[in-house]
């Protein structure tokens, strides 16, 4: 997938390299950096992903997404994309990487199933009440 496609909908600045690069995978864990990946530098509680930017370049990452300045080797051809908040950017990038699953949501189907289920319960209650010999509503019994 092209880096440019992953960045749609984001406000960013390409401060180094080109966004016309092929991305093999998206990672935010420095232990999972691989050749051709896009590494998102997240500021964590125990570690800051920006501290691993040089390591990502050395391992052959295709691109970095950063929110602050990083030190990189001059000879590296890595693309560096600067955003305001890398956590926010990660949501957009992940959605694009996985084909925007929310856009393909089946909420309408869930809604229909909910209505059908509710109608069926009402119908069952009505038919049970109508089946008493006196025509009076059937008494409600507790289920265990």
């Amino acid at each position: 997938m092209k880096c440019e496609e992953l960045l749609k909908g984001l406000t960013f600045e390409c401060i180094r390299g080109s966004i016309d690069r092929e991305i093999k995978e998206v990672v935010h864990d420095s232990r999972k950096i691989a050749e051709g990946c896009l590494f998102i530098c997240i500021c964590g509680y125990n570690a800051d992903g920006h501290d691993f930017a040089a390591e990502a370049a050395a391992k052959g990452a295709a691109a970095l997404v950063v929110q602050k300045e990083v030190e990189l080797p001059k000879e590296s051809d890595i693309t560096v994309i600067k955003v305001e908040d890398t956590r926010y950017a990660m949501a957009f990038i992940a959605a694009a990487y996985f084909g925007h699953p929310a856009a393909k949501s089946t909420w309408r189907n869930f809604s229909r199933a909910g209505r059908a289920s509710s109608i069926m319960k009402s119908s069952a209650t009505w038919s049970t009440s109508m089946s008493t010999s006196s025509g009076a509503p059937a008494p409600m019994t507790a289920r265990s």
Side-chain angles (χ1 to χ4, degrees):
M1 175 173 263
K2 291 285 187 183
C3 184
E4 185 175 15
E5 294 171 29
L6 295 172
L7 300 171
K8 281 186 183 169
L10 271 176
T11 302
F12 66 91
E13 178 187 358
C14 183
I15 57 176
R16 181 174 175 175
S18 169
I19 60 171
D20 188 35
R21 296 194 70 159
E22 193 66 31
I23 302 297
K24 294 180 182 174
E25 63 182 319
V26 175
V27 298
H28 63 87
D29 185 338
S30 62
R31 296 169 293 185
K32 296 181 180 178
I33 296 170
E35 189 172 333
C37 77
L38 179 138
F39 178 58
I40 304 171
C41 299
I42 302 288
C43 296
Y45 182 73
N46 293 321
D48 184 351
H50 294 82
D51 296 338
F52 300 96
E55 180 184 335
K59 287 183 176 180
L64 293 175
V65 176
V66 301
Q67 68 184 33
K68 57 187 180 182
E69 296 297 318
V70 291
E71 293 291 325
L72 295 168
K74 297 272 187 210
E75 66 276 356
S76 174
D77 69 336
I78 196 165
T79 296
V80 181
I81 297 137
K82 189 169 186 178
V83 295
E84 188 174 323
D85 182 356
T86 53
R87 286 183 188 275
Y88 181 79
M90 184 166 61
F92 281 86
I93 292 167
Y97 184 72
F98 290 107
H100 297 283
K104 301 171 188 170
S105 176
T106 56
W107 286 111
R108 181 178 297 153
N109 295 336
F110 289 137
S111 175
R112 286 183 190 146
R115 284 194 306 267
S117 173
S118 179
I119 292 168
M120 290 167 51
K121 284 188 266 181
S122 299
S123 298
T125 303
W126 183 80
S127 66
T128 303
S129 69
M130 295 307 288
S131 66
T132 60
S133 58
S134 67
M140 298 296 280
T141 57
R143 296 182 193 197
S144 54

